[in-house]
Amino acid sequence: MPSSVPGFAELLGRTQRSAAHLELRDSYAPTERFEAWRRGERINWDDRESWWHPYDQLIADTVARGVAIRRARVVSEPVSEYIRWEHYVTHANVTAGEEVRWLPRRQATKIPLPGNDFWLFDGALLRVHHFSGDGEVVEDEITADAETVMLCLNAFDAVWKRAIPHHLYEI
């Protein structure tokens, strides 16, 4: 990631009202946590210390200061193995304070969507994620371009309105 792009924690730290994350891919680069899940290892959700990560604490702290954090995922169905895992580990996101929704891709046809995943901070600043074909982050880009921000804001809102809350979305 270029040094000119502020880190996620810094961007979230500046956020006063809301952060919205739109995910559009059916898979990302595998992590050790994903590989462990594939091997059949499961998280003991009752043992919070075993799974609570600095990201979870950052989200919890941000929500505690009044920032609403929403995440929407557009997914193909039947879902990929990676999305099954994401659905499973989303328990951590929700516990930290994120609101998470899922939209089956077939219900997104009428929504103008950007070509990349993004975070939108306070409806004004975008952190756009550029991935390689195999799901590795290639680069993050920051923009406050009004037209791009508006496209992403409208796309997120349209997805959010149609999407299914995490606790109701069954895989």
Side-chain angles (χ1 to χ4, degrees):
M1 179 167 60
S3 61
S4 63
V5 176
F8 178 72
E10 180 181 342
L11 291 167
L12 205 54
R14 294 183 203 164
T15 303
Q16 297 177 4
R17 296 178 316 280
S18 66
H21 187 36
L22 184 62
E23 296 180 15
L24 301 168
R25 297 178 56 93
D26 285 320
S27 67
Y28 296 85
T31 64
E32 176 51 39
R33 291 173 61 209
F34 173 65
E35 294 301 334
W37 178 84
R38 289 179 81 194
R39 291 189 303 269
E41 295 177 27
R42 295 300 179 258
I43 297 168
N44 177 357
W45 294 114
D46 293 329
D47 180 13
R48 183 169 149 162
E49 288 203 17
S50 71
W51 57 266
W52 191 257
H53 292 97
Y55 173 84
D56 302 313
Q57 191 61 53
L58 174 63
I59 296 302
D61 292 346
T62 303
V63 170
R65 62 182 177 80
V67 176
I69 300 180
R70 298 182 297 161
R71 178 186 303 259
R73 293 179 171 133
V74 178
V75 296
S76 300
E77 292 181 322
V79 299
S80 68
E81 182 179 36
Y82 193 94
I83 294 300
R84 281 196 309 276
W85 172 72
E86 273 197 334
H87 188 269
Y88 173 71
V89 296
T90 294
H91 176 82
N93 300 80
V94 171
T95 300
E98 286 188 31
E99 293 180 69
V100 180
R101 293 187 182 181
W102 304 80
L103 182 66
R105 194 171 306 280
R106 70 177 178 275
Q107 295 176 25
T109 304
K110 294 181 181 180
I111 302 172
L113 294 171
N116 299 294
D117 291 12
F118 64 82
W119 276 94
L120 177 60
F121 302 96
D122 286 333
L125 183 67
L126 278 170
R127 181 178 184 176
V128 180
H129 302 299
H130 298 285
F131 292 95
S132 65
D134 61 1
E136 292 282 349
V137 174
V138 174
E139 180 180 34
D140 285 336
E141 169 189 359
I142 297 291
T143 183
D145 174 73
E147 186 177 334
T148 306
V149 166
M150 189 55 62
L151 169 72
C152 292
L153 175 65
N154 290 338
F156 184 88
D157 286 347
V159 168
W160 190 257
K161 286 176 188 170
R162 291 171 176 82
I164 302 163
H166 175 70
H167 71 280
L168 297 176
Y169 185 66
E170 295 183 21
I171 300 255

